[in-house]
Each structure stands twice: as structure tokens, then as C-alpha cells.
């Protein structure tokens, strides 16, 4: 049974490449089961998952096959409006400073920035990703970044109840 | 006998302006068009209240003598004022309607567009006034691009054929299309499709006009996740040999 709490799911989110690959593939690392459960729960609950075209480009490694067109999964393009978001809200100074802080190349960060711009352009409620790379960039477009485990059911706290008549210590 | 309702405040939905060079009056207004608009607006307000889980009750209806103002009593004037402003923002295309309200907003826009060009509409609650007007498009379109948009089809027909759709992010817009495409897309009325369109956008990014090139209906499947996993097993098959996804992605991007 899935441990995803349906009430926590976003109405419309954009998922990152690492989450998508684990949700669809046969991986068995520590995140794979949560990514699959999250993906399945979003579909079951008729929520919307956005796939940015840069994410799809990263995933494509195999035989050519037409992208499915289904109700819950919406491929979204880096179209004419997304670059405006990128240029205005995540300017090159931000990429330069993040590159210095994180050690990632600016090319790598530009790719992440394109994905973040798609999230803003296509009105995602949040970005669901495994690593924190999107976090700083997404702050600039006021979109939260969530880990798939954020949607897991919370642990229930069971209060300790003293048994009546039990011997008191001391 | 009904109890008096001391808190009731009139909410007035007014049509103003000119019709055929004469001031709009009870003698010359389009009754069906006006009632259609008033009904659409009240329906949107009630749905907005429900969405916010706030009580909002409309009681009674009268027409102010000598005017085209429809008066309805509301018990929650503060809520009604706020929701009228919110509805005005959505109808004007300045705020994206939330899930479940897009069709209602489109109905208000549609009913407004059928009123005569010189007619304007105002909602008054006490001294608070909100102009309810559809988005204004200028003819100075900024850019033409080919786009693919997930849209809900809600009207198609006419000669030349026009298609009316709502997009989650780009709002309601209409597009021209061939008779053949119109006939095909009519089978998907009130359903979502992926539309391949040439769009013309205004400076603020709204779609001023569009032409449909092609469309893709969505797959009707009981197991959507399985459809995508099947696709990945073909299109992403090389990932099976990768142990560290993140290192692979980072390396791929850095080496590009």
C-alpha cells in the first residue's frame, strides 16, 4: 500500500528528471519507491504532472517513441514566454553567483534554470525534485521545491498511557 | 410569514451604456442576453464562495425601476464585495481562475461578449463598485509562434469555423480552423485535447488570435502510469544500465 498522503498532493506540479526516471524505470535506490508511489498517487487523484521539455530531453535515451498524451501528464515547452521569465527573474548574475557557490558549471545551472522557468511559465504549484539544486533558482520565481518524501503520510504520535494500578517507580 | 432579514444588503448587477445610439433602458435592453449574463455572474460568485468555503446567499430579485439594474439581497455584503472584485479580476483575465471555476468564468466572458458593444456592466454592493469586463485585446500583436497547448474544448462551429477553448495557463481564446478539423474536434467537446496552434500574442502575453494546425486527443486508458512506463521502457531504455542517475545527468550537462 502506498504511504503517500493524498491530502498533501499538489494540484499541479512539475517533476524533475531524477524523479521521473525513478517513477518510470526499474531502479531500486532509496528514492525509487517513493517516486513511483508519488507518481501513481498523482495520477490516481487526477492531479496534473507537468513535464518540461528539457526534462523529456534528458530522459530520452533509447528508441524513438511518440510521447503519450494522457490526462494527468502534460508535456510543457520552453516556449516564447519562458525565456522572458528566465531572463528577467533568473538573470545571469544569479547563475554566476550560484555557479561559484555550488561548483556546478553555468551550463548545468542554465539547464536547471530552464526547468524552473517552465514551472513558472506553466503555473506549477511546486517543483518536485530530489536534489536541492533547483531550490535557490526556484526562490527567484517564488515556486517551492518539494521532495517526494514530503508527501508521505506523517507518522502518528501515540501518547503513552499509564496502566491503572501499575506499580509506581520509586 | 418570512422573518425580516436585518443584515440583507442589496447587490446590484447593472448594465449601463448605449444601444443603437440611445441610452440603455428597460425598454430597449436585450432581456435574454442580460439575464444570461446576470445568471452567469451569480453562478460564478456562488461557486467562488463555495471554493473559499464561505457562506453567501442570494435572496429575491427585482429590477430597479427605470434602469437595467438587477437587485438581489445578500446577507454577507463583505463577502459579496470581495468576491465581486475577485470575479472581476478573473473575468478580465488578470487572474487565472482556479480549478473548477474556469468554465464558469468562460461563461461570464461569453455572455458579456454577446451584449451590445456599447454596454458596460458594474456590480455594486453598498458603495463598493466593480466593473465586470472581458479582457481587452489590442490589435498590436507582439509575436506569432507555434505552440502546443493542453486545452478544454467548449465550442466549435460556424462558417468560417471557429473553435473556443480554455487553457489552464493561457485562459480562454478562440481559433480559426478548417471544416475538417472542426468536424473532428467536435467529437471532443468538453474534453481536453493537445492543440497545435499558431498563436498571436499581445504585449502582455495574452492570445489575441490563433489558428489550429492539428490536435491530439488524449488516450483513454485505465492505467495511465502503465502507459508512461511502457513508453519509458522503449524511449528511456538506456537508463537501465545507469547506476547513478544524478552523476549521469550532471556529467551529461557539463559535457554538453
Amino acid at each position: 500500500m502506498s504511504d503517500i498522503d493524498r491530502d498533501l498532493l499538489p494540484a499541479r506540479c512539475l517533476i524533475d528528471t531524477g524523479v521521473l526516471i525513478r517513477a518510470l524505470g526499474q531502479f531500486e535506490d532509496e528514492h525509487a519507491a517513493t517516486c513511483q508511489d508519488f507518481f501513481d498517487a498523482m495520477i490516481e487523484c487526477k492531479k496534473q504532472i507537468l513535464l518540461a521539455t528539457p526534462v523529456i530531453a534528458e530522459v530520452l535515451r533509447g528508441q524513438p517513441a511518440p510521447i503519450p498524451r494522457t490526462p494527468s501528464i502534460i508535456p510543457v515547452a520552453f516556449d516564447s514566454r519562458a525565456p522572458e521569465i528566465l531572463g528577467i527573474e533568473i538573470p545571469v548574475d544569479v547563475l554566476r553567483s550560484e555557479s561559484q557557490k555550488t561548483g556546478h558549471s553555468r551550463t548545468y545551472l542554465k539547464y536547471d534554470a530552464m526547468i524552473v522557468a517552465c514551472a513558472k511559465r506553466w503555473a506549477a504549484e511546486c517543483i518536485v525534485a530530489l536534489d536541492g539544486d533547483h531550490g535557490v533558482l526556484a526562490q527567484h520565481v517564488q515556486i517551492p521545491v518539494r521532495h517526494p518524501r514530503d508527501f508521505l503520510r506523517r507518522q502518528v504520535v501515540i501518547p503513552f498511557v499509564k496502566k491503572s494500578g501499575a506499580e509506581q517507580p520509586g | 410569514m418570512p422573518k425580516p432579514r436585518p443584515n440583507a444588503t442589496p447587490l446590484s448587477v447593472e448594465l449601463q451604456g448605449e444601444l443603437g445610439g440611445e441610452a440603455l433602458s428597460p425598454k430597449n435592453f436585450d432581456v435574454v442576453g442580460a439575464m444570461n449574463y446576470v445568471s452567469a455572474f451569480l453562478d460564478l460568485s456562488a461557486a467562488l464562495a463555495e471554493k473559499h468555503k464561505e457562506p453567501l446567499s442570494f435572496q429575491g430579485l427585482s429590477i430597479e425601476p427605470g434602469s437595467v439594474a438587477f437587485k438581489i439581497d445578500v446577507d454577507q455584503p463583505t463577502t459579496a464585495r470581495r468576491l465581486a472584485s475577485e470575479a472581476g479580476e478573473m473575468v478580465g483575465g488578470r487572474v487565472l481562475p482556479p480549478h473548477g471555476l474556469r468554465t464558469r468564468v468562460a461563461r461570464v466572458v461569453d455572455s458579456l461578449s454577446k451584449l451590445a458593444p456599447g454596454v458596460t456592466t458594474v456590480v455594486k454592493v453598498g458603495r463598493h463598485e466593480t466593473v465586470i469586463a472581458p479582457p481587452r485585446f489590442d490589435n498590436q500583436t507582439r509575436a506569432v509562434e507555434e505552440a502546443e497547448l493542453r486545452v478544454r474544448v467548449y465550442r466549435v462551429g460556424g462558417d468560417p469555423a471557429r473553435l473556443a477553448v480554455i487553457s489552464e495557463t493561457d485562459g480562454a481564446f478562440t481559433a480559426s480552423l478548417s471544416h475538417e478539423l472542426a468536424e473532428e474536434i467536435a467529437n471532443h467537446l468538453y474534453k481536453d485535447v493537445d492543440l497545435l496552434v499558431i498563436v498571436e500574442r499581445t504585449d502582455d502575453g495574452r492570445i489575441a488570435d490563433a489558428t489550429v494546425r492539428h490536435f491530439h486527443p488524449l488516450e483513454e486508458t485505465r492505467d495511465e502510469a502503465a502507459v508512461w512506463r511502457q513508453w519509458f521502457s522503449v524511449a528511456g531504455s538506456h537508463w537501465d544500465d545507469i547506476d547513478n542517475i544524478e552523476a549521469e545527468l550532471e556529467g551529461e550537462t557539463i559535457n554538453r
Side-chain angles (χ1 to χ4, degrees):
Chain A
M1 189 185 143
S2 166
D3 286 329
I4 298 292
D5 184 340
R6 270 58 175 160
D7 292 336
L8 297 177
L9 292 174
R12 183 175 167 97
C13 72
L14 183 143
I15 62 174
D16 188 30
T17 316
V19 175
L20 182 65
I21 290 173
R22 285 175 175 84
L24 300 182
Q26 304 289 320
F27 296 92
E28 290 181 353
D29 67 10
E30 56 177 324
H31 303 299
T34 310
C35 291
Q36 286 161 14
D37 287 349
F38 170 75
F39 186 83
D40 292 352
M42 285 290 287
I43 290 173
E44 268 174 46
C45 297
K46 301 189 186 310
K47 309 287 189 182
Q48 294 178 334
I49 298 175
L50 306 180
L51 299 185
T53 41
V55 168
I56 296 173
E58 285 186 313
V59 167
L60 290 176
R61 285 191 185 195
Q63 302 298 315
I67 294 169
R69 294 174 190 280
T70 61
S72 296
I73 321 287
I74 308 175
V76 291
F78 188 77
D79 67 350
S80 70
R81 297 177 72 194
E84 291 176 357
I85 294 168
L86 186 57
I88 294 166
E89 299 186 43
I90 316 176
V92 71
D93 288 349
V94 172
L95 298 179
R96 192 177 291 131
S97 118
E98 279 311 300
S99 174
Q100 283 168 357
K101 271 190 231 166
T102 61
H104 290 310
S105 72
R106 264 199 279 160
T107 311
Y108 176 79
L109 289 170
K110 267 184 203 165
Y111 216 67
D112 275 357
M114 284 173 75
I115 293 168
V116 169
C118 282
K120 175 72 183 278
R121 157 65 179 103
W122 297 100
E125 206 175 285
C126 63
I127 295 170
V128 179
L130 294 173
D131 53 44
D133 289 349
H134 291 304
V136 176
L137 300 177
Q139 277 175 12
H140 290 269
V141 295
Q142 291 87 44
I143 291 187
V145 178
R146 314 281 302 276
H147 193 286
R149 67 169 167 257
D150 293 347
F151 304 101
L152 289 173
R153 216 167 257 132
R154 303 274 187 260
Q155 283 185 313
V156 178
V157 178
I158 303 169
F160 175 75
V161 180
K162 203 181 282 178
K163 199 174 173 183
S164 62
E167 214 170 282
Q168 298 296 313
Chain B
M1 190 176 159
K3 289 181 182 173
R5 298 165 54 244
N7 296 329
T9 301
L11 177 151
S12 165
V13 184
E14 294 190 22
L15 273 62
Q16 303 168 346
E18 288 187 347
L19 190 66
E22 287 181 23
L24 197 68
S25 76
K27 289 182 182 174
N28 65 2
F29 81 99
D30 168 12
V31 176
V32 174
M35 295 305 288
N36 195 20
Y37 159 67
V38 173
S39 153
F41 176 79
L42 295 178
D43 180 44
L44 173 61
S45 301
L48 264 173
E50 198 180 325
K51 191 92 182 167
H52 293 310
K53 297 186 169 52
E54 292 183 65
L56 180 69
S57 56
F58 298 122
Q59 305 289 332
L61 170 70
S62 59
I63 300 181
E64 188 78 353
S67 74
V68 188
F70 300 83
K71 286 179 69 178
I72 304 108
D73 283 342
V74 285
D75 288 336
Q76 304 84 7
T78 310
T79 305
R81 272 193 287 271
R82 190 165 36 74
L83 295 184
S85 298
E86 205 174 323
E89 292 296 296
M90 290 178 192
V91 171
R94 294 177 292 278
V95 169
L96 187 69
H99 283 273
L101 293 181
R102 274 166 281 152
T103 311
R104 285 182 167 91
V105 171
R107 193 183 152 212
V108 177
V109 173
D110 188 47
S111 61
L112 280 169
S113 69
K114 287 178 179 159
L115 297 174
V119 176
T120 57
T121 69
V122 178
V123 173
K124 296 180 182 172
V125 186
R127 284 186 295 177
H128 181 269
E129 294 188 10
T130 305
V131 175
I132 307 292
R136 286 192 176 185
F137 296 126
D138 56 33
N139 292 324
Q140 300 295 313
T141 51
R142 169 192 67 162
V144 177
E145 69 167 331
E146 188 169 85
E148 190 173 303
L149 296 169
R150 174 78 46 99
V151 297
R152 172 74 49 92
V153 176
Y154 72 90
R155 199 171 59 237
V156 61
D159 191 9
R162 292 292 289 181
L163 170 72
V165 297
I166 302 174
S167 149
E168 184 98 15
T169 47
D170 290 63
F173 65 93
T174 63
S176 58
L177 71 173
S178 68
H179 283 180
E180 290 75 19
L181 275 173
E183 205 175 327
E184 279 179 48
I185 213 165
N187 294 317
H188 302 278
L189 206 56
Y190 306 122
K191 290 181 183 167
D192 288 347
V193 298
D194 285 341
L195 206 62
L196 188 65
V197 277
I198 307 292
V199 295
E200 291 182 32
R201 293 186 190 277
T202 56
D203 280 346
D204 57 3
R206 295 171 212 265
I207 296 177
D209 200 6
T211 305
V212 181
R213 289 283 182 238
H214 189 59
F215 79 96
H216 298 280
L218 302 188
E219 282 187 41
E220 289 181 9
T221 172
R222 284 189 174 182
D223 195 343
E224 197 174 340
V227 169
W228 278 88
R229 290 192 174 113
Q230 171 61 30
W231 169 78
F232 183 77
S233 70
V234 178
S237 56
H238 293 189
W239 281 103
D240 288 348
D241 306 325
I242 307 292
D243 290 328
N244 187 334
I245 297 170
E246 276 63 42
E248 182 67 17
L249 286 170
E250 187 165 348
E252 182 191 57
T253 318
I254 287 169
N255 295 331
R256 202 188 322 273

